[in-house]
Amino acid sequence: MSLKEKYIYMIEENQLELLDLASSLIRIPSENPSGMMDAVVEYILGYLKASNIDVEIAYCEKDFPNIIASIGHDEDNLVILNGHADVVPVGDINKWGFDPFSGDIVDDKLRGRGTSDMKAGLAGLIYAMKIIKESGLKVNGKLELHVVTDEESGGQYGSKWLMSKGYGKNAKACIIAEPTPENNIEVGQKGSLNIRVETYGVSAHGSIGNYVGENAIEKMMTILPSLHKLRDMKGIYKKEQLHVLEDSKKIARESLKVEGSENVIDHVAVNIGLINGGIKDNMVPDYCVTDINCRLPIGLTCSDVEKRTRQIVDSLNLQGVKLTFEYNCEANYTDDTTSLVKSVKSNAEYIWGAEVTPAYQWATSDARYYRYENIPTIQFGPANLEGIHSYNEDVDLDDIIKSTQVYVGVLFDLLGLSE
Ligand SMILES: [Zn+2]
C-alpha cells in the first residue's frame, strides 16, 4: 500500500470523527441572510487551532469574517482549498420533515440546512488539513484553506475580497468543495448580466387611450418578445473544449429531464423576472420597467450580449426606451488538461470506482474569483442536489467520506506529501 493509499484508508477508518465535525457545523446556524457568522467561525477556528494549524482571521466587513488557515511555507507551490460556512435561509420551517439544525444522522444520511451546500464538503477540507498536520506529513509547497461566509450573498466580502488583497496569489490550484454529482468535476460556469428595460410614454385618460397618449406598457410588450432572440446566441469554444462541452450538455439533459435542456450550457439564458408599470386601469401608463437576468455561456462576454440587445431594440425604432446593463460576472473555466483536473479525475475514479467527467455548469459561484486570477480551479463535493436551496436538505455519509478521500488523494499529488 502506498503512503497515499494509507491516508485515503485512514479517512475511512476515522470516519466517525469526520462525520462528527460535519454534524457540529450543521448544528451552528449561519443563515445568510440574516444570521450571524461568529459562532460557526469561532468553532472552525478552535478546531484548526487544536491541530496546531496556523490560522488568521481577515475581513473587510466584520459580519462576514474569513478564516485563512495554512500548512507549509513555500508559496512557489501554493494550493488553495475553499469552502463557505454560510447557508441559505431555512425558509418555511413547516415544509421541513426534520429540524434543519439537528445535524442528525439517519439512514446513512446527514440531515440539515447546509449539509450539501456545503458544510459537509467544508468539513472534508478541514478534516483533510487536520490529518495532514497531525501526522506531520511534509508539504512540498503550501496548503492554504479559505473559509468564507458570504458566498450565498455573492462573495464580495469573502473570496472576491481575499483575491483582491492578494491572498492565494499565484496559486497553482484551487479546490472548492461545492456540491457536485459524484461523477462530475465542475470546470466552468456561465457569466451573468442584468438588463433593465424602461419605457416612457405619455399619460392620458384611459377612455381615449386608443387615440391619444402613448402607452408605455404596450411599448414594453413590443420589446420583450423581441429579446427572445438573445436565446439564440451561442457560446464560442476552443477545439480542446468541445468534448467537455458535449459531456456537459449530456449531463444537463439527463438532470433537467426536459427536451432541449442541453442548450442551457452553450446558449444565452434569458429570464424576464420582474415587471412593473402603470398606475390605474383607466389611465394610459407613461412608465414601465422590466428587469431581466441573462446567463452567458463560455466565449460570450457581457459586452457581446449588451451589443446584441441594443441592436435588437434599436431595430424596433421606438422612442422613449432606456436600457441599462449591469455586468455581474463573466463566464469562466479551467482547462481539463491541467494537473489539478487530471488529479481530481484519477483520484475520484479510483475512490468511486466509476468514470468521473469534467463538466461545465449553468450556475455561478466563488470559483470565478480564483479563475479570474488565472488559478486553475475546480469544484467537487458531496451532495444530494434535491435539497439544495430547498427543503429537507441532506447528504449521504458515503459521499462525505469519499469526497474527503478525494481531497486527500489530490493533495498528495499536488503537494508531494511525504513522511
Ligand atoms: Zn454553495
Side-chain angles (χ1 to χ4, degrees), residues 168-401:
K169 203 173 167 53
N170 302 323
K172 293 284 186 294
C174 173
I175 301 160
I176 304 181
E178 285 279 16
T180 53
E182 75 271 6
N183 57 354
N184 271 190
I185 306 164
E186 183 277 310
V187 294
Q189 292 189 320
K190 291 180 100 172
S192 167
L193 166 74
N194 280 10
I195 307 173
R196 169 165 284 186
V197 183
E198 290 169 289
T199 51
Y200 296 85
V202 177
S203 68
H205 195 291
S207 60
I208 49 172
N210 287 10
Y211 310 100
V212 296
E214 196 182 314
N215 191 313
I217 293 178
E218 291 196 17
K219 207 179 283 186
M220 189 64 83
M221 285 164 63
T222 313
I223 297 170
L224 296 182
S226 73
L227 293 181
H228 274 222
K229 287 181 194 152
L230 294 175
R231 293 179 177 161
D232 297 333
M233 294 181 81
K234 280 180 79 173
I236 298 161
Y237 299 82
K238 295 185 286 185
K239 209 169 120 227
E240 320 74 274
Q241 291 179 305
L242 293 178
H243 68 283
V244 179
L245 175 63
E246 281 319 303
D247 290 340
S248 311
K249 293 179 77 158
K250 189 164 160 268
I251 291 161
R253 175 77 166 81
E254 283 166 5
S255 66
L256 294 173
K257 300 182 179 73
V258 177
E259 208 181 311
S261 56
E262 62 276 11
N263 293 333
V264 71
I265 299 294
D266 65 348
H267 284 68
V268 171
V270 179
N271 184 52
I272 300 174
L274 191 135
I275 184 161
N276 211 339
I279 296 167
K280 201 167 175 293
D281 61 336
N282 61 0
M283 296 167 75
V284 174
D286 62 356
Y287 179 72
C288 185
V289 56
T290 302
D291 286 331
I292 301 166
N293 178 250
C294 297
R295 299 300 175 104
L296 284 42
I298 288 167
L300 280 187
T301 63
C302 291
S303 155
D304 295 333
V305 178
E306 170 173 354
K307 265 184 218 142
R308 179 76 183 118
T309 308
R310 289 192 184 281
Q311 222 174 43
I312 293 168
V313 175
D314 283 351
S315 71
L316 299 171
N317 280 319
L318 298 166
Q319 299 302 310
V321 180
K322 186 179 169 200
L323 298 174
T324 315
F325 296 85
E326 196 183 330
Y327 291 13
N328 301 320
C329 63
E330 300 292 355
N332 51 86
Y333 62 88
T334 290
D335 285 326
D336 72 326
T337 49
T338 54
S339 49
L340 169 66
V341 178
K342 284 183 179 160
S343 168
V344 176
K345 183 175 163 66
S346 74
N347 282 286
E349 288 184 341
Y350 169 71
I351 286 154
W352 281 96
E355 198 192 354
V356 177
T357 318
Y360 303 131
Q361 284 183 344
W362 59 78
T364 63
S365 75
D366 274 5
R368 66 185 185 272
Y369 300 121
Y370 295 90
R371 291 190 182 130
Y372 292 158
E373 298 295 320
N374 295 317
I375 299 170
T377 301
I378 61 97
Q379 302 194 111
F380 185 81
N384 283 334
L385 299 173
E386 302 77 34
I388 294 177
H389 291 219
S390 178
Y391 304 103
N392 297 329
E393 186 175 350
D394 63 14
V395 69
D396 296 3
L397 303 186
D398 190 41
D399 204 353
I400 305 177
I401 297 159

Side-chain angles (χ1 to χ4, degrees), residues 83-84 86-88 116-119 151-152 176-179 364-366 379 388-389:
H84 65 86
D86 57 329
V87 298
V88 292
S116 280
D117 190 11
M118 56 164 280
K119 284 178 168 175
E151 196 276 342
E152 298 293 1
I176 304 181
E178 285 279 16
T364 63
S365 75
D366 274 5
Q379 302 194 111
I388 294 177
H389 291 219

